[in-house]
Amino acid sequence: MRLSNGFAKLLPSVSLFVCYAVSFIFATMATKYLKLAVMYAVWSGVGIIAITLVDLMLFHERINSIEALGLILILAGSIILRIA
């Protein structure tokens, strides 16, 4: 979203919508194998972790230890839900 500059730049804007579409396609496919609530929680958790990693690598953002702990807990919760 940041790269699209409020949808003013064409390529990042189109890429954003393509990524959203692919994400929803995979989420829909996952409902065949997981309960809807579990699928959504795992999808959200993995999305948060992925966006955080992109933010750290691409934009060189920093996170503090409390934020890192929160991310670890989100990831742990997603893994526990998937295993259950």
Side-chain angles (χ1 to χ4, degrees):
M1 288 182 182
R2 185 185 290 183
L3 292 176
S4 73
N5 194 23
F7 301 113
K9 295 181 181 176
L10 181 62
L11 185 59
S13 298
V14 171
S15 298
L16 176 70
F17 286 111
V18 169
C19 288
Y20 275 137
V22 170
S23 177
F24 281 110
I25 289 168
F26 282 126
T28 302
M29 291 169 51
T31 59
K32 293 180 183 179
Y33 307 103
L34 299 171
K35 295 177 187 175
L36 184 61
V38 172
M39 181 281 307
Y40 190 74
V42 171
W43 180 57
S44 299
V46 170
I48 290 168
I49 299 299
I51 293 300
T52 301
L53 292 174
V54 168
D55 195 36
L56 292 171
M57 289 186 250
L58 190 61
F59 299 112
H60 307 290
E61 296 284 335
R62 301 278 183 236
I63 59 173
N64 62 39
S65 57
I66 299 297
E67 293 167 335
L69 176 62
L71 291 168
I72 290 168
L73 291 172
I74 289 169
L75 182 61
S78 294
I79 291 169
I80 290 168
L81 281 172
R82 176 61 185 106
I83 290 171

